[in-house]
Amino acid sequence: MSDLVSRLLVCRHARQISPGLVDEIIETLCAAAPATDRVASRNALVREAAGLLEGSPWQRATKIAALIGRFRHPADEVRRLLWLADRNAPLPESARQIYRILSDC
């Protein structure tokens, strides 16, 4: 953690921050949060990603499940949200599990 703080101080002084450092900060903060908070954050991000898609809740859940099975890098806003969600807690892989997340509002 002290290495991360040192790098943040250098970035503050330089008034610049690298995307890799931002990713590392997000992962560190997520790992430090309680599991229930991480799952709640993941679910909120999955809902936000689904909100960017068209179709019924089941159709959006199916699309999200397909994206989860294929994506590796955050190429667009939906994938970026899923990537962030996965940093909080492992993403469900089935459309049924995702549908439950979308329905729990």
Side-chain angles (χ1 to χ4, degrees), residues 43-84:
N43 291 353
L45 288 164
V46 168
R47 283 187 209 99
E48 187 176 345
L52 298 174
L53 301 173
E54 294 182 11
S56 70
W58 177 252
Q59 290 170 327
R60 289 183 284 143
T62 303
K63 290 176 187 177
I64 292 287
L67 286 172
I68 289 171
R70 292 192 315 250
F71 90 97
R72 298 292 175 252
H73 300 287
D76 58 23
E77 186 62 12
V78 172
R79 288 175 180 88
R80 186 186 74 77
L81 290 167
L82 294 174
W83 180 81
L84 288 172

Side-chain angles (χ1 to χ4, degrees), residues 10-60:
V10 168
C11 290
R12 183 179 78 182
H13 180 71
R15 297 179 190 259
Q16 294 180 343
I17 191 163
S18 72
L21 181 56
V22 171
D23 294 344
E24 191 174 336
I25 292 166
I26 290 169
E27 288 180 24
T28 301
L29 291 173
C30 289
T36 55
D37 292 348
R38 292 193 316 262
V39 170
S41 180
R42 177 204 65 192
N43 291 353
L45 288 164
V46 168
R47 283 187 209 99
E48 187 176 345
L52 298 174
L53 301 173
E54 294 182 11
S56 70
W58 177 252
Q59 290 170 327
R60 289 183 284 143

